[in-house]
Amino acid sequence: DAEPPAKVMQEEDRNGLVLRNFASEAVMAWAKEFCALGEPVADQLCYYEGYKAQPGETFEQQLKRQMVEDMKECGQALADDKVVKKGSEIARGSPAAVEQLVELLTRLMRLHQQCCGEAEDM
């Protein structure tokens, strides 16, 4: 039986958690392929809750929308520069990977909230 993260983090003899299989094999394979492109994909993406959010949009919705937009723009630039083939998964903005990345980030945010004892909804 796994203990809740908040309980584990409060114990004096423990200072961390090990998460196994937190990211799917599919997202790890995509990340390997994407990162293998090297310098053309070396960038930093930052998402701030509420920044350029649409009215009534939750942070999870905002994150998904902005990541989809950013990855489509990136994919188009990579295709235009002939780094990837037009019509490839990456050129189309990696829609399946973005869906999985948003899910992974959402899980990480929830884990962080549990570890910090925050009860706010995302």
Side-chain angles (χ1 to χ4, degrees), residues 68-115:
V68 165
E69 292 168 359
D70 288 342
M71 293 305 290
K72 280 183 179 178
E73 184 179 313
C74 175
Q76 183 63 52
L78 291 169
D80 290 347
D81 292 343
K82 297 180 177 31
V83 175
V84 297
K85 290 182 181 179
K86 288 191 185 293
S88 68
E89 176 78 3
I90 291 176
R92 292 184 293 112
S94 305
V98 169
E99 190 74 35
Q100 292 175 11
L101 287 170
V102 170
E103 175 61 29
L104 178 62
L105 290 171
T106 300
R107 291 172 63 199
L108 286 168
M109 288 187 286
R110 288 187 181 132
L111 177 63
H112 178 265
Q113 289 172 340
Q114 289 176 1
C115 290

Side-chain angles (χ1 to χ4, degrees), residues 3-24:
E3 296 179 57
K7 181 180 178 193
V8 173
M9 296 303 290
Q10 292 172 354
E11 295 181 14
E12 291 182 20
D13 63 333
R14 299 185 192 179
N15 63 0
L17 300 170
V18 174
L19 302 174
R20 292 186 175 93
N21 302 318
F22 199 72
S24 71

